[in-house]
Amino acid sequence: MTEVRILAPALTKGPDAEKTGAREREVFLPRDARRRTPISTLRERLRWPLGIYTTPVVILIAWEVLARAGVLAKTYAPAPTAIVKSAADLWQQGVLGPDLAISLQRAGIGLAIGLTAGIVTGVLGGLLRSGEYLFNGVVQVLNTIPLLAVLPLMIVWFGIDELTKVLLISFGAGVPIYLNLFAAIRGVDQRLIEMARATGAGTWRLVTRVLVPGALPGFLVGLRSSLAYSVLGLVAAETVNADKGLGFLITQGQTYLQTNQVFVGLVIYSLLGLLADQFVRVLERVLLRWRPSYEAS
């Protein structure tokens, strides 16, 4: 790509005017063409992925300091180092590993079912008017029903076995991906579609070259929401009538007043959410390289 440099002439002469003109010209250069200093280079390298963890790290440090100072009681909020130690002890005892594996298995199966159903119905609803009539109203109704409100009904229908837990996770993952994908497809610029048709593009070429790239950003937004809601569905499913999994680990900690164990489960849930968000960020960087977007300074 050819670099475009906009040269702004200085209104006054002198060294200060030259410095001001240089700064003005620097603003209009492409990001990659700007002069790099050691500080700016370090800042760019640390911006991702470490930059987004600034606030959580600060909170953890403050939490540790307050816990060690005795401001936070151990029975209410143990120090992060104590939580890590409890997690290591549970892992060595052979408790945390199997529970984590069961939770990941439930989340994976439920997420796969929910995403498959949401993507298929979202594409049909977005591309076809009949698909919109068939799916959109139902999904809009389901979107207003909380996960915990659905749980008692699923227990009545399917019992308390694994099927109920997987379906609850699927419910949490399928609705957001449908809503965002449907809106993304319908939000593609009509002028681009008309331009493609004017050049003789067929249906397949129109879908692959116009609709898919245009709907991809909205799909990734829906994927981020689906991953987050699948974790919420996992929490809701495992805290009710579960005999294994992270939710069961938390319930046991609550029953025996083991606060550290409760926090271990909560921290793992939080880490799953962060990993899901990072996964979508990586996809955005790979799949949306073609789209110029705003970058905060």
Side-chain angles (χ1 to χ4, degrees):
M1 183 179 293
T2 305
E3 295 181 0
V4 178
R5 296 175 179 265
I6 300 178
L7 302 179
L11 299 178
T12 58
K13 297 181 179 180
D16 294 336
E18 292 179 358
K19 293 179 180 179
T20 303
R23 286 195 297 268
E24 291 176 351
R25 291 192 298 270
E26 185 75 17
V27 171
F28 293 99
L29 289 176
R31 174 177 291 273
D32 295 337
R34 298 180 187 177
R35 291 178 299 180
R36 289 184 176 273
T37 63
I39 295 179
S40 64
T41 303
L42 181 62
R43 184 180 178 184
E44 287 292 333
R45 290 179 179 177
L46 295 180
R47 178 175 296 177
W48 190 91
L50 298 179
I52 61 174
Y53 297 121
T54 301
T55 302
V57 168
V58 170
I59 293 176
L60 287 177
I61 293 175
W63 184 0
E64 181 73 23
V65 171
L66 292 176
R68 289 182 177 272
V71 177
L72 299 177
K74 295 181 179 180
T75 54
Y76 294 101
T81 52
I83 297 174
V84 172
K85 184 178 182 302
S86 297
D89 293 340
L90 290 173
W91 185 273
Q92 292 177 354
Q93 295 170 8
V95 176
L96 183 58
D99 285 339
L100 179 59
I102 289 295
S103 295
L104 291 177
Q105 180 181 353
R106 290 169 179 164
I109 297 175
L111 187 62
I113 295 174
L115 288 180
T116 302
I119 292 173
V120 172
T121 55
V123 170
L124 293 177
L127 296 179
L128 304 175
R129 185 69 63 181
S130 57
E132 178 184 3
Y133 295 155
L134 184 61
F135 301 115
N136 200 54
V138 176
V139 177
Q140 293 292 346
V141 172
L142 294 177
N143 187 42
T144 62
I145 302 177
L147 290 175
L148 291 178
V150 181
L151 182 58
L153 190 60
M154 285 190 173
I155 292 177
V156 172
W157 286 349
F158 306 108
I160 60 175
D161 295 332
E162 291 296 308
L163 181 60
T164 297
K165 300 175 179 59
V166 170
L167 290 179
L168 190 65
I169 298 170
S170 303
F171 177 81
V175 173
I177 195 67
Y178 171 87
L179 294 175
N180 285 274
L181 186 55
F182 173 83
I185 294 175
R186 292 299 176 91
V188 175
D189 195 340
Q190 184 65 28
R191 292 171 295 183
L192 297 176
I193 299 176
E194 294 174 355
M195 185 184 303
R197 286 174 175 169
T199 58
T203 303
W204 175 252
R205 194 174 184 84
L206 178 65
V207 171
T208 57
R209 296 299 180 90
V210 179
L211 292 178
V212 170
L216 191 57
F219 167 76
L220 292 176
V221 173
L223 181 60
R224 177 179 279 110
S225 300
S226 293
L227 292 174
Y229 277 97
S230 66
V231 175
L232 294 178
L234 178 65
V235 175
E238 290 189 334
T239 53
V240 178
N241 296 323
D243 56 355
K244 49 190 173 182
L246 293 176
F248 176 68
L249 186 72
I250 293 176
T251 304
Q252 276 193 322
Q254 177 187 1
T255 302
Y256 298 105
L257 299 178
Q258 297 176 350
T259 311
N260 288 10
Q261 186 169 318
V262 175
F263 271 96
V264 168
L266 295 178
V267 168
I268 293 177
Y269 282 137
S270 302
L271 291 177
L272 291 177
L274 283 176
L275 290 175
D277 180 72
Q278 285 303 304
F279 173 72
V280 179
R281 285 176 179 267
V282 172
L283 286 182
E284 288 176 346
R285 285 177 169 267
V286 173
L287 299 178
L288 300 182
R289 288 182 177 179
W290 53 269
R291 190 187 69 163
S293 60
Y294 169 73
E295 292 188 9
S297 57

